[in-house]
Coordinates of all heavy atoms in Angstrom, one line a residue:
M1 N -11.9 0.6 -9.8 CA -11.6 -0.3 -8.7 C -10.5 0.3 -7.9 O -9.5 0.9 -8.5 CB -11.2 -1.7 -9.1 CG -12.3 -2.5 -9.7 SD -11.9 -4.2 -9.9 CE -10.5 -4.1 -11.0
R2 N -10.6 0.3 -6.6 CA -9.5 0.8 -5.8 C -9.1 -0.2 -4.7 O -9.8 -1.2 -4.5 CB -10.0 2.1 -5.1 CG -10.4 3.2 -6.1 CD -10.7 4.5 -5.5 NE -11.7 4.5 -4.5 CZ -12.2 5.6 -3.9 NH1 -11.7 6.8 -4.3 NH2 -13.1 5.5 -3.0
A3 N -7.9 0.1 -4.2 CA -7.4 -0.8 -3.1 C -6.8 0.1 -2.0 O -6.5 1.3 -2.3 CB -6.3 -1.7 -3.7
V4 N -6.6 -0.5 -0.9 CA -6.0 0.2 0.3 C -4.7 -0.5 0.6 O -4.6 -1.7 0.7 CB -6.9 0.1 1.5 CG1 -6.2 0.8 2.7 CG2 -8.2 0.8 1.2
I5 N -3.6 0.3 0.6 CA -2.3 -0.2 1.0 C -1.9 0.4 2.3 O -1.9 1.6 2.5 CB -1.2 0.2 -0.1 CG1 -1.6 -0.4 -1.5 CG2 0.2 -0.3 0.3 CD1 -0.7 0.2 -2.6
T6 N -1.5 -0.5 3.3 CA -1.0 0.0 4.5 C 0.4 -0.4 4.7 O 0.9 -1.5 4.3 CB -1.8 -0.6 5.7 OG1 -1.8 -2.0 5.7 CG2 -3.3 -0.1 5.6
V7 N 1.2 0.5 5.3 CA 2.7 0.3 5.5 C 3.0 0.7 7.0 O 2.6 1.8 7.4 CB 3.5 1.1 4.5 CG1 5.0 0.9 4.8 CG2 3.1 0.8 3.1
I8 N 3.6 -0.2 7.7 CA 4.0 0.1 9.1 C 5.4 -0.4 9.3 O 5.7 -1.5 8.9 CB 3.0 -0.6 10.1 CG1 1.6 0.0 9.9 CG2 3.5 -0.4 11.5 CD1 0.5 -0.7 10.7
G9 N 6.2 0.3 10.0 CA 7.5 -0.1 10.4 C 8.4 1.0 10.9 O 7.9 2.2 11.2
K10 N 9.6 0.8 11.1 CA 10.6 1.8 11.6 C 10.8 2.8 10.5 O 11.0 2.5 9.3 CB 11.9 1.1 11.9 CG 12.9 2.0 12.6 CD 14.1 1.2 13.2 CE 15.2 2.1 13.7 NZ 14.8 3.1 14.6
D11 N 10.7 4.1 10.9 CA 10.9 5.2 10.0 C 12.3 5.2 9.4 O 13.3 4.9 10.0 CB 10.6 6.5 10.7 CG 10.6 7.7 9.7 OD1 10.1 7.5 8.5 OD2 11.0 8.8 10.1
M12 N 12.3 5.5 8.0 CA 13.6 5.6 7.3 C 13.3 6.4 6.0 O 12.2 6.6 5.6 CB 14.2 4.3 7.0 CG 13.4 3.5 5.9 SD 14.1 1.9 5.6 CE 13.4 0.9 6.9
V13 N 14.4 6.9 5.4 CA 14.3 7.7 4.2 C 13.8 6.8 3.1 O 14.3 5.6 2.9 CB 15.6 8.3 3.9 CG1 15.6 9.0 2.5 CG2 16.0 9.3 4.9
G14 N 12.9 7.2 2.2 CA 12.6 6.5 1.0 C 11.4 5.5 1.0 O 11.1 4.8 0.0
I15 N 10.7 5.4 2.1 CA 9.6 4.4 2.2 C 8.5 4.8 1.2 O 8.1 3.9 0.4 CB 9.0 4.3 3.6 CG1 10.0 3.8 4.6 CG2 7.7 3.4 3.6 CD1 9.5 3.9 6.1
L16 N 8.1 6.0 1.2 CA 7.0 6.4 0.3 C 7.5 6.3 -1.2 O 6.7 5.8 -2.0 CB 6.6 7.9 0.5 CG 5.6 8.5 -0.4 CD1 4.3 7.7 -0.3 CD2 5.3 9.9 0.0
A17 N 8.7 6.6 -1.4 CA 9.3 6.5 -2.8 C 9.3 5.1 -3.3 O 8.9 4.8 -4.4 CB 10.7 7.1 -2.8
R18 N 9.7 4.1 -2.4 CA 9.8 2.7 -2.8 C 8.4 2.1 -3.1 O 8.2 1.5 -4.1 CB 10.5 1.9 -1.8 CG 12.0 2.1 -1.7 CD 12.8 1.5 -2.8 NE 12.6 0.0 -2.9 CZ 13.4 -0.9 -2.3 NH1 14.3 -0.5 -1.4 NH2 13.2 -2.1 -2.4
V19 N 7.5 2.4 -2.2 CA 6.1 1.9 -2.4 C 5.5 2.5 -3.6 O 4.8 1.8 -4.4 CB 5.3 2.1 -1.1 CG1 3.8 1.7 -1.3 CG2 5.8 1.3 0.1
S20 N 5.6 3.8 -3.8 CA 5.1 4.5 -4.9 C 5.7 4.0 -6.2 O 5.0 3.9 -7.3 CB 5.3 6.0 -4.8 OG 4.6 6.5 -3.7
S21 N 7.0 3.7 -6.2 CA 7.6 3.1 -7.4 C 7.0 1.8 -7.9 O 6.8 1.6 -9.1 CB 9.1 2.9 -7.2 OG 9.8 4.2 -7.0
V22 N 6.8 0.9 -6.9 CA 6.1 -0.3 -7.3 C 4.8 -0.1 -7.9 O 4.4 -0.7 -8.9 CB 6.0 -1.3 -6.0 CG1 5.2 -2.5 -6.4 CG2 7.4 -1.7 -5.5
C23 N 4.0 0.9 -7.3 CA 2.7 1.2 -7.9 C 2.9 1.7 -9.3 O 2.2 1.3 -10.2 CB 2.0 2.2 -7.0 SG 1.5 1.6 -5.4
A24 N 3.8 2.7 -9.5 CA 4.0 3.3 -10.8 C 4.4 2.3 -11.9 O 3.9 2.3 -13.0 CB 5.0 4.4 -10.7
E25 N 5.3 1.4 -11.5 CA 5.7 0.3 -12.4 C 4.6 -0.6 -12.9 O 4.7 -1.2 -14.0 CB 6.8 -0.6 -11.7 CG 8.1 0.1 -11.5 CD 9.0 -0.6 -10.5 OE1 8.7 -1.8 -10.1 OE2 10.1 0.0 -10.1
N26 N 3.5 -0.7 -12.1 CA 2.4 -1.5 -12.4 C 1.2 -0.7 -12.9 O 0.1 -1.3 -12.9 CB 2.1 -2.4 -11.3 CG 3.2 -3.5 -11.1 OD1 3.4 -4.3 -11.9 ND2 4.0 -3.3 -10.0
N27 N 1.4 0.5 -13.2 CA 0.3 1.4 -13.6 C -0.8 1.6 -12.6 O -2.0 1.6 -12.9 CB -0.3 0.9 -15.0 CG -0.9 2.0 -15.8 OD1 -0.5 3.2 -15.7 ND2 -2.0 1.7 -16.5
V28 N -0.4 1.6 -11.3 CA -1.4 1.8 -10.2 C -1.3 3.3 -9.8 O -0.2 3.8 -9.5 CB -1.0 0.9 -9.0 CG1 -1.8 1.3 -7.8 CG2 -1.2 -0.5 -9.4
N29 N -2.4 4.0 -9.8 CA -2.4 5.4 -9.5 C -2.6 5.7 -8.1 O -3.6 5.2 -7.5 CB -3.4 6.2 -10.4 CG -3.4 7.7 -10.2 OD1 -2.3 8.2 -10.1 ND2 -4.5 8.3 -10.1
V30 N -1.8 6.4 -7.4 CA -2.0 6.8 -6.0 C -3.0 7.9 -6.0 O -2.7 9.0 -6.5 CB -0.7 7.2 -5.3 CG1 -0.9 7.6 -3.9 CG2 0.3 6.0 -5.4
V31 N -4.1 7.7 -5.3 CA -5.2 8.7 -5.2 C -5.1 9.6 -4.0 O -5.2 10.8 -4.0 CB -6.6 8.0 -5.2 CG1 -7.7 9.0 -5.1 CG2 -6.8 7.2 -6.5
E32 N -4.7 8.9 -2.9 CA -4.6 9.6 -1.6 C -3.7 8.9 -0.7 O -3.6 7.7 -0.7 CB -6.0 9.7 -1.0 CG -6.1 10.7 0.1 CD -7.6 10.9 0.6 OE1 -8.5 10.6 -0.2 OE2 -7.8 11.3 1.7
V33 N -2.9 9.7 0.1 CA -1.9 9.2 1.0 C -2.0 9.9 2.3 O -2.2 11.2 2.4 CB -0.5 9.4 0.5 CG1 0.5 8.9 1.5 CG2 -0.3 8.7 -0.8
T34 N -2.0 9.2 3.4 CA -1.8 9.8 4.7 C -0.8 9.0 5.4 O -0.6 7.8 5.3 CB -3.2 9.8 5.5 OG1 -2.9 10.4 6.8 CG2 -3.7 8.4 5.8
Q35 N 0.1 9.7 6.1 CA 1.2 9.1 6.8 C 1.5 9.8 8.1 O 1.2 11.0 8.3 CB 2.5 9.0 6.0 CG 3.1 10.3 5.6 CD 4.3 10.1 4.8 OE1 4.4 9.2 4.0 NE2 5.2 11.1 4.9
S36 N 2.0 9.1 9.1 CA 2.3 9.6 10.4 C 3.6 9.0 10.9 O 3.9 7.9 10.5 CB 1.3 9.3 11.4 OG 0.1 10.0 11.1
I37 N 4.4 9.8 11.6 CA 5.6 9.2 12.3 C 5.4 9.5 13.7 O 5.2 10.6 14.2 CB 6.8 9.9 11.7 CG1 6.9 9.7 10.2 CG2 8.1 9.4 12.5 CD1 8.0 10.5 9.5
L38 N 5.4 8.4 14.5 CA 5.2 8.4 16.0 C 6.5 8.0 16.6 O 6.9 6.8 16.5 CB 4.1 7.5 16.4 CG 2.7 7.7 15.7 CD1 1.8 6.6 16.0 CD2 2.2 9.1 16.1
Q39 N 7.3 8.9 17.1 CA 8.7 8.7 17.5 C 9.5 8.1 16.3 O 9.7 8.8 15.4 CB 8.7 7.8 18.7 CG 8.1 8.5 19.9 CD 8.1 7.7 21.2 OE1 8.7 6.7 21.3 NE2 7.4 8.2 22.2
D40 N 9.8 6.8 16.3 CA 10.5 6.2 15.2 C 9.6 5.2 14.4 O 10.1 4.5 13.6 CB 11.8 5.6 15.6 CG 11.6 4.4 16.5 OD1 10.5 4.2 17.0 OD2 12.6 3.6 16.7
L41 N 8.3 5.2 14.6 CA 7.4 4.3 14.0 C 6.7 5.1 12.8 O 6.1 6.1 13.0 CB 6.3 3.8 14.9 CG 5.3 2.9 14.3 CD1 6.0 1.6 13.8 CD2 4.2 2.5 15.3
F42 N 6.8 4.5 11.6 CA 6.2 5.0 10.4 C 4.9 4.3 10.1 O 4.9 3.0 10.1 CB 7.2 4.9 9.2 CG 6.6 5.3 7.9 CD1 6.8 6.6 7.5 CD2 6.0 4.5 7.1 CE1 6.3 7.1 6.3 CE2 5.5 4.9 5.8 CZ 5.6 6.2 5.4
A43 N 3.8 5.0 9.8 CA 2.6 4.4 9.5 C 2.0 5.2 8.2 O 1.9 6.4 8.3 CB 1.6 4.4 10.6
M44 N 1.6 4.4 7.2 CA 1.1 5.1 6.0 C -0.1 4.3 5.5 O -0.1 3.0 5.5 CB 2.1 5.1 5.0 CG 1.7 5.7 3.6 SD 3.0 6.0 2.5 CE 3.5 4.4 2.1
I45 N -1.1 5.0 5.0 CA -2.3 4.4 4.3 C -2.4 5.1 3.0 O -2.4 6.3 2.9 CB -3.6 4.6 5.1 CG1 -3.5 4.0 6.5 CG2 -4.8 4.0 4.4 CD1 -4.7 4.3 7.4
M46 N -2.5 4.2 1.9 CA -2.6 4.8 0.6 C -3.9 4.2 0.0 O -4.2 3.0 0.1 CB -1.4 4.3 -0.3 CG -0.1 4.7 0.2 SD 1.2 4.0 -0.8 CE 1.3 5.2 -2.2
L47 N -4.6 5.1 -0.7 CA -5.8 4.7 -1.5 C -5.3 4.7 -2.9 O -4.8 5.8 -3.4 CB -7.0 5.6 -1.3 CG -8.2 5.2 -2.0 CD1 -8.8 3.9 -1.6 CD2 -9.3 6.3 -1.7
V48 N -5.4 3.6 -3.7 CA -4.9 3.6 -5.0 C -5.9 3.1 -6.0 O -6.8 2.3 -5.6 CB -3.6 2.6 -5.1 CG1 -2.5 3.2 -4.3 CG2 -3.9 1.2 -4.7
E49 N -5.8 3.5 -7.2 CA -6.7 3.1 -8.3 C -6.0 2.0 -9.0 O -4.9 2.1 -9.5 CB -6.9 4.3 -9.3 CG -7.7 4.0 -10.5 CD -9.1 3.5 -10.1 OE1 -9.8 4.2 -9.3 OE2 -9.6 2.5 -10.7
I50 N -6.7 0.8 -9.1 CA -6.1 -0.4 -9.6 C -6.8 -0.9 -10.9 O -6.4 -1.9 -11.5 CB -6.1 -1.6 -8.6 CG1 -7.6 -1.8 -8.1 CG2 -5.2 -1.2 -7.4 CD1 -7.7 -3.1 -7.3
S51 N -7.7 -0.1 -11.5 CA -8.4 -0.6 -12.7 C -7.5 -0.7 -13.9 O -7.8 -1.6 -14.8 CB -9.6 0.4 -13.0 OG -9.2 1.7 -13.2
K52 N -6.4 0.0 -13.9 CA -5.5 -0.2 -15.1 C -4.2 -0.9 -14.7 O -3.2 -0.8 -15.4 CB -5.2 1.2 -15.7 CG -6.4 1.9 -16.2 CD -6.1 3.3 -16.8 CE -7.3 4.0 -17.3 NZ -7.1 5.3 -17.7
C53 N -4.2 -1.6 -13.6 CA -3.0 -2.3 -13.1 C -2.6 -3.3 -14.1 O -3.5 -4.1 -14.6 CB -3.3 -2.9 -11.7 SG -1.9 -3.7 -10.9
K54 N -1.3 -3.5 -14.4 CA -0.8 -4.4 -15.3 C -0.9 -5.8 -14.9 O -0.8 -6.8 -15.7 CB 0.7 -4.1 -15.7 CG 0.8 -2.7 -16.3 CD 2.3 -2.5 -16.6 CE 2.6 -1.2 -17.2 NZ 4.0 -0.9 -17.4
I55 N -1.0 -6.0 -13.6 CA -1.0 -7.4 -13.0 C -2.2 -7.6 -12.1 O -2.7 -6.6 -11.6 CB 0.4 -7.7 -12.2 CG1 0.6 -6.6 -11.1 CG2 1.5 -7.7 -13.2 CD1 1.8 -6.9 -10.3
P56 N -2.6 -8.8 -11.8 CA -3.7 -9.0 -10.9 C -3.3 -8.5 -9.5 O -2.2 -8.5 -9.1 CB -3.9 -10.6 -10.9 CG -3.2 -11.0 -12.1 CD -2.1 -10.1 -12.4
L57 N -4.4 -8.2 -8.7 CA -4.2 -7.6 -7.3 C -3.3 -8.6 -6.5 O -2.4 -8.1 -5.7 CB -5.5 -7.3 -6.7 CG -5.5 -6.6 -5.4 CD1 -4.8 -5.3 -5.5 CD2 -6.9 -6.4 -4.8
P58 N -3.5 -9.9 -6.5 CA -2.7 -10.7 -5.6 C -1.2 -10.6 -6.0 O -0.3 -10.7 -5.1 CB -3.2 -12.2 -5.9 CG -4.6 -11.9 -6.3 CD -4.6 -10.7 -7.1
E59 N -0.8 -10.5 -7.2 CA 0.6 -10.3 -7.6 C 1.1 -8.9 -7.2 O 2.2 -8.8 -6.7 CB 0.7 -10.4 -9.1 CG 0.6 -11.9 -9.6 CD 0.8 -12.0 -11.1 OE1 1.7 -11.2 -11.7 OE2 0.1 -12.7 -11.8
L60 N 0.3 -7.9 -7.3 CA 0.7 -6.6 -6.8 C 1.0 -6.7 -5.3 O 2.0 -6.2 -4.8 CB -0.4 -5.5 -7.1 CG -0.1 -4.1 -6.5 CD1 1.1 -3.5 -7.2 CD2 -1.3 -3.3 -6.7
S61 N 0.1 -7.4 -4.6 CA 0.2 -7.5 -3.1 C 1.6 -8.3 -2.8 O 2.3 -7.9 -1.9 CB -0.9 -8.3 -2.6 OG -0.8 -8.5 -1.2
E62 N 1.9 -9.3 -3.6 CA 3.1 -10.0 -3.4 C 4.4 -9.1 -3.6 O 5.3 -9.1 -2.9 CB 3.2 -11.2 -4.4 CG 2.3 -12.4 -4.0 CD 2.4 -13.5 -5.0 OE1 3.4 -13.6 -5.7 OE2 1.4 -14.3 -5.1
E63 N 4.3 -8.3 -4.7 CA 5.4 -7.4 -5.0 C 5.6 -6.4 -3.8 O 6.7 -6.1 -3.4 CB 5.2 -6.6 -6.3 CG 5.5 -7.5 -7.5 CD 5.6 -6.6 -8.8 OE1 6.0 -5.5 -8.7 OE2 5.2 -7.2 -9.8
L64 N 4.5 -5.8 -3.4 CA 4.6 -4.8 -2.3 C 5.0 -5.5 -1.0 O 5.8 -4.9 -0.2 CB 3.3 -4.1 -2.1 CG 3.0 -3.1 -3.2 CD1 1.5 -2.7 -3.2 CD2 3.9 -1.9 -3.1
T65 N 4.6 -6.7 -0.7 CA 5.0 -7.4 0.5 C 6.5 -7.7 0.4 O 7.2 -7.5 1.4 CB 4.2 -8.7 0.6 OG1 2.8 -8.4 0.8 CG2 4.7 -9.5 1.8
K66 N 7.0 -8.1 -0.8 CA 8.4 -8.3 -1.0 C 9.2 -7.0 -0.7 O 10.3 -7.1 0.0 CB 8.7 -8.9 -2.4 CG 10.1 -9.1 -2.7 CD 10.3 -9.6 -4.1 CE 11.8 -9.6 -4.5 NZ 12.0 -9.8 -5.9
T67 N 8.7 -5.9 -1.3 CA 9.4 -4.7 -1.1 C 9.4 -4.3 0.4 O 10.5 -3.9 1.0 CB 8.7 -3.5 -1.9 OG1 8.8 -3.9 -3.2 CG2 9.3 -2.2 -1.6
G68 N 8.3 -4.6 1.1 CA 8.3 -4.3 2.5 C 9.3 -5.1 3.3 O 10.0 -4.6 4.2
K69 N 9.4 -6.4 3.0 CA 10.4 -7.3 3.6 C 11.8 -6.8 3.4 O 12.6 -6.9 4.4 CB 10.2 -8.7 3.2 CG 9.0 -9.4 3.7 CD 8.9 -10.9 3.3 CE 7.6 -11.5 3.9 NZ 7.4 -12.8 3.4
E70 N 12.1 -6.3 2.2 CA 13.4 -5.8 2.0 C 13.7 -4.6 2.9 O 14.9 -4.3 3.2 CB 13.5 -5.3 0.5 CG 13.5 -6.5 -0.5 CD 13.4 -6.0 -1.9 OE1 13.3 -4.8 -2.2 OE2 13.3 -6.9 -2.8
L71 N 12.7 -3.8 3.2 CA 12.9 -2.6 4.1 C 12.5 -2.9 5.6 O 12.5 -1.9 6.4 CB 12.0 -1.5 3.5 CG 12.3 -1.0 2.1 CD1 11.2 -0.1 1.6 CD2 13.7 -0.4 2.1
N72 N 12.2 -4.1 5.9 CA 11.8 -4.5 7.3 C 10.5 -3.8 7.6 O 10.3 -3.3 8.8 CB 12.9 -4.1 8.3 CG 13.6 -5.3 8.7 OD1 13.3 -6.5 8.4 ND2 14.7 -5.1 9.4
L73 N 9.5 -3.7 6.7 CA 8.2 -3.1 6.9 C 7.1 -4.1 6.7 O 7.3 -5.1 6.0 CB 8.0 -2.0 5.9 CG 9.0 -0.8 5.9 CD1 8.8 0.0 4.7 CD2 8.9 0.0 7.2
S74 N 6.0 -3.9 7.3 CA 4.8 -4.6 7.1 C 3.9 -3.9 6.1 O 3.5 -2.8 6.3 CB 4.0 -4.8 8.4 OG 2.8 -5.4 8.2
V75 N 3.7 -4.6 4.9 CA 2.9 -3.9 3.9 C 1.7 -4.9 3.6 O 1.9 -6.1 3.4 CB 3.7 -3.7 2.6 CG1 2.9 -3.1 1.5 CG2 4.9 -2.9 2.9
H76 N 0.5 -4.3 3.6 CA -0.7 -5.1 3.3 C -1.5 -4.4 2.2 O -1.6 -3.2 2.2 CB -1.6 -5.3 4.5 CG -0.9 -6.1 5.6 ND1 -0.8 -7.4 5.5 CD2 -0.3 -5.7 6.7 CE1 -0.1 -7.9 6.6 NE2 0.2 -6.8 7.4
V77 N -2.0 -5.2 1.3 CA -2.9 -4.6 0.2 C -4.2 -5.3 0.3 O -4.3 -6.5 0.4 CB -2.3 -4.9 -1.2 CG1 -3.1 -4.3 -2.3 CG2 -0.8 -4.3 -1.2
M78 N -5.3 -4.5 0.2 CA -6.6 -5.0 0.3 C -7.6 -4.3 -0.6 O -7.5 -3.0 -0.7 CB -7.2 -4.8 1.8 CG -8.5 -5.5 2.1 SD -8.9 -5.2 3.8 CE -7.6 -6.0 4.7
H79 N -8.4 -5.0 -1.4 CA -9.4 -4.4 -2.3 C -10.3 -3.5 -1.4 O -10.6 -3.9 -0.3 CB -10.2 -5.5 -3.0 CG -11.0 -4.9 -4.1 ND1 -12.1 -4.3 -4.0 CD2 -10.7 -4.9 -5.5 CE1 -12.6 -3.9 -5.1 NE2 -11.7 -4.3 -6.1
E80 N -10.6 -2.4 -2.0 CA -11.4 -1.4 -1.2 C -12.8 -2.0 -0.7 O -13.2 -1.7 0.4 CB -11.7 -0.2 -2.1 CG -12.5 0.9 -1.4 CD -12.9 2.1 -2.2 OE1 -13.1 1.9 -3.5 OE2 -12.9 3.2 -1.7
D81 N -13.4 -2.8 -1.5 CA -14.7 -3.4 -1.1 C -14.5 -4.3 0.1 O -15.3 -4.3 1.0 CB -15.2 -4.3 -2.2 CG -15.7 -3.5 -3.4 OD1 -15.9 -2.2 -3.3 OD2 -15.9 -4.1 -4.5
I82 N -13.4 -5.1 0.2 CA -13.1 -5.9 1.4 C -12.9 -5.0 2.6 O -13.4 -5.2 3.7 CB -12.0 -6.9 1.1 CG1 -12.5 -7.9 0.0 CG2 -11.6 -7.6 2.4 CD1 -11.4 -8.8 -0.5
F83 N -12.0 -4.0 2.4 CA -11.7 -3.0 3.4 C -13.0 -2.4 4.0 O -13.2 -2.4 5.2 CB -10.8 -2.0 2.9 CG -10.3 -1.0 4.0 CD1 -9.3 -1.2 4.8 CD2 -11.0 0.2 4.1 CE1 -8.9 -0.3 5.7 CE2 -10.6 1.2 5.1 CZ -9.6 0.9 5.9
N84 N -13.9 -1.9 3.1 CA -15.1 -1.3 3.6 C -16.0 -2.3 4.3 O -16.6 -1.9 5.3 CB -15.8 -0.7 2.4 CG -15.2 0.6 1.9 OD1 -14.5 1.2 2.6 ND2 -15.4 0.9 0.6
S85 N -16.1 -3.5 3.8 CA -16.9 -4.5 4.5 C -16.4 -4.8 5.9 O -17.2 -5.0 6.8 CB -16.9 -5.8 3.7 OG -17.6 -5.6 2.5
M86 N -15.1 -4.9 6.0 CA -14.5 -5.2 7.3 C -14.7 -4.1 8.3 O -14.7 -4.3 9.5 CB -13.0 -5.5 7.2 CG -12.7 -6.8 6.5 SD -10.9 -7.0 6.3 CE -10.3 -6.9 7.9
H87 N -14.8 -2.9 7.9 CA -14.9 -1.7 8.8 C -16.3 -1.1 8.8 O -16.5 0.0 9.3 CB -13.9 -0.7 8.4 CG -12.5 -1.2 8.5 ND1 -11.8 -1.9 7.5 CD2 -11.7 -1.2 9.6 CE1 -10.6 -2.2 8.0 NE2 -10.5 -1.8 9.2
R88 N -17.3 -1.8 8.4 CA -18.7 -1.3 8.4 C -19.3 -1.8 9.7 O -19.1 -3.0 10.1 CB -19.4 -1.9 7.2 CG -20.8 -1.2 7.1 CD -21.4 -1.6 5.7 NE -20.6 -0.9 4.7 CZ -20.4 -1.4 3.5 NH1 -20.8 -2.7 3.2 NH2 -19.7 -0.8 2.6
I89 N -20.0 -1.0 10.4 CA -20.7 -1.4 11.7 C -21.9 -2.1 11.4 O -22.7 -1.8 10.6 CB -20.9 -0.2 12.6 CG1 -19.6 0.5 12.9 CG2 -21.7 -0.5 13.8 CD1 -19.7 1.8 13.7

């Protein structure tokens, strides 16, 4: 099972490290990352493997949302199946 994590906000040092740390603490493996910086806006999409996650996906989402709020970032977590369904034509 996989999930998609999106992060958007003002660019600063350590965003990738903080989000990745929350993932690592919960045994979530980062499979793929893409990020862009547009002027001072940071945007990142992570594809993560959640099959061995220590906590349910809604709790992981809450933890990442909390981390995002601490950094003034918008963080969203979505199961890959839902993400694919939403973006299918």
Side-chain angles (χ1 to χ4, degrees):
M1 289 192 302
R2 299 188 306 184
V4 177
I5 301 171
T6 59
V7 181
I8 298 174
K10 187 169 172 55
D11 186 36
M12 68 183 84
V13 173
I15 296 173
L16 178 58
R18 289 286 299 275
V19 174
S20 296
S21 292
V22 173
C23 290
E25 290 165 7
N26 291 291
N27 205 34
V28 172
N29 186 40
V30 177
V31 177
E32 196 169 337
V33 177
T34 183
Q35 64 182 31
S36 294
I37 300 170
L38 308 167
Q39 295 180 11
D40 65 345
L41 179 65
F42 177 89
M44 176 172 68
I45 301 172
M46 301 174 84
L47 182 62
V48 296
E49 177 61 48
I50 57 171
S51 59
K52 297 180 182 176
C53 186
K54 295 178 181 178
I55 58 176
L57 187 60
E59 286 182 40
L60 177 65
S61 180
E62 286 177 25
E63 281 194 35
L64 287 166
T65 298
K66 179 182 170 192
T67 299
K69 286 182 181 176
E70 291 169 4
L71 299 171
N72 260 351
L73 301 168
S74 172
V75 179
H76 296 282
V77 180
M78 187 179 299
H79 194 282
E80 182 183 35
D81 292 343
I82 295 171
F83 181 86
N84 287 335
S85 294
M86 288 177 57
H87 295 89
R88 192 168 289 143
I89 296 176

